[in-house]
Amino acid sequence: DGGITQSPKYLFRKEGQNVTLSCEQNLNHDAMYWYRQDPGQGLRLIYYSQIVNDFQKGDIAEGYSVSREKKESFPLTVTSAQKNPTAFYLCASSRSGNSNQPQHFGDGTRLSIL
Amino acid sequence: KNQVEQSPQSLIILEGKNCTLQCNYTVSPFSNLRWYKQDTGRGPVSLTIMTFSENTKSNGRYTATLDADTKQSSLHITASQLSDSASYICVVRMNNAGNMLTFGGGTRLMVKP
């Protein structure tokens, strides 16, 4: 079955440590996205990529970094510069250029601070 | 500022009852509005999409409405089931380049037996 796989499901970060969240899709989608979800708030866009080897900052990119070396993969690194990283992180993908196509989401990674 | 507001924040109903969730938005220019269902600890899944010209759309026991003049949408759930317990998120897309979305904070629905 086609879909988006995020790993790990739970992740713990120590002070001063960088951690990387994995996102892989086999839907052959061009566009991929990373969102952060906090309780009671709407999803907020961290980074997005419309095509391989290109990505753009979203609304809350500070303290995060991404890469898009392959079409199917869009890893997110939470750096030590992100002072409040505890949240539920969701990766999504979509076909570019078609506004009526939904974004397909993975099942998220919950990041906590030790 | 582009915003999507949902009400109520949370709702508890008995199994078999109906309920209606509300979504008001200020996103402009408007392209479409989508309702997602998010089970606890999972990613959101699309239920239905409403474009500017559509007033009502059904997907099984879910019926969405859109009033583009007042910038309001609702999601009506008929004959609720325990499996309907989830967060329901209203998402509005602007009519511009890219697939950028504005998300509401969601309504958390609990269906009790």
Side-chain angles (χ1 to χ4, degrees), chain B:
Chain B
K1 182 180 177 182
N2 292 315
Q3 288 186 310
V4 176
E5 301 286 343
Q6 292 187 243
S7 63
Q9 272 194 324
S10 61
L11 183 62
I12 301 174
I13 62 173
L14 292 176
E15 186 179 12
K17 298 297 186 182
N18 304 336
C19 67
T20 300
L21 314 180
Q22 300 290 344
C23 174
N24 297 337
Y25 62 93
T26 60
V27 176
S28 182
F30 175 86
S31 176
N32 60 55
L33 182 150
R34 193 180 291 274
W35 284 92
Y36 280 87
K37 178 186 179 186
Q38 184 178 20
D39 292 313
T40 301
R42 305 293 298 274
V45 175
S46 178
L47 290 175
T48 186
I49 180 174
M50 305 292 290
T51 58
F52 187 86
S53 59
E54 295 174 310
N55 298 119
T56 304
K57 184 176 285 187
S58 292
N59 176 8
R61 294 181 296 103
Y62 300 105
T63 299
T65 66
L66 175 67
D67 186 333
D69 292 330
T70 61
K71 298 187 177 181
Q72 295 179 326
S73 176
S74 67
L75 181 69
H76 185 76
I77 304 175
T78 304
S80 61
Q81 300 176 358
L82 299 180
S83 59
D84 292 331
S85 295
S87 288
Y88 291 84
I89 303 173
C90 176
V91 186
V92 181
R93 183 184 182 277
M94 289 179 65
N95 188 17
N96 62 0
N99 198 4
M100 298 300 104
L101 309 173
T102 303
F103 290 79
T107 292
R108 190 165 191 84
L109 174 66
M110 182 178 295
V111 180
K112 290 193 168 183

Side-chain angles (χ1 to χ4, degrees), chain A residues 9 33 35 37 40-43 45 48 50 88 90 94-95 98-103 105-107, chain B residues 9 31-32 34 36 38 41-46 49 51 89 93 97-101 103-105:
Chain A
K9 191 161 182 67
Y33 312 82
Y35 294 95
Q37 187 174 35
Q41 295 187 37
L43 274 66
L45 183 64
Y48 65 100
Q50 301 277 34
F88 190 51
L90 286 162
S94 71
R95 293 181 191 173
N98 187 331
S99 65
N100 284 349
Q101 290 297 316
Q103 289 189 9
F105 287 85
D107 280 339
Chain B
Q9 272 194 324
S31 176
N32 60 55
R34 193 180 291 274
Y36 280 87
Q38 184 178 20
R42 305 293 298 274
V45 175
S46 178
I49 180 174
T51 58
I89 303 173
R93 183 184 182 277
N99 198 4
M100 298 300 104
L101 309 173
F103 290 79

Side-chain angles (χ1 to χ4, degrees), chain A residues 11-20 63 77-83 85 111-114:
Chain A
L11 188 58
F12 298 91
R13 196 191 87 170
K14 296 180 181 179
E15 292 289 338
Q17 185 182 44
N18 294 352
V19 292
T20 297
T77 296
V78 184
T79 75
S80 57
Q82 172 51 243
K83 298 306 180 187
L111 176 61
S112 302
I113 297 298
L114 287 178

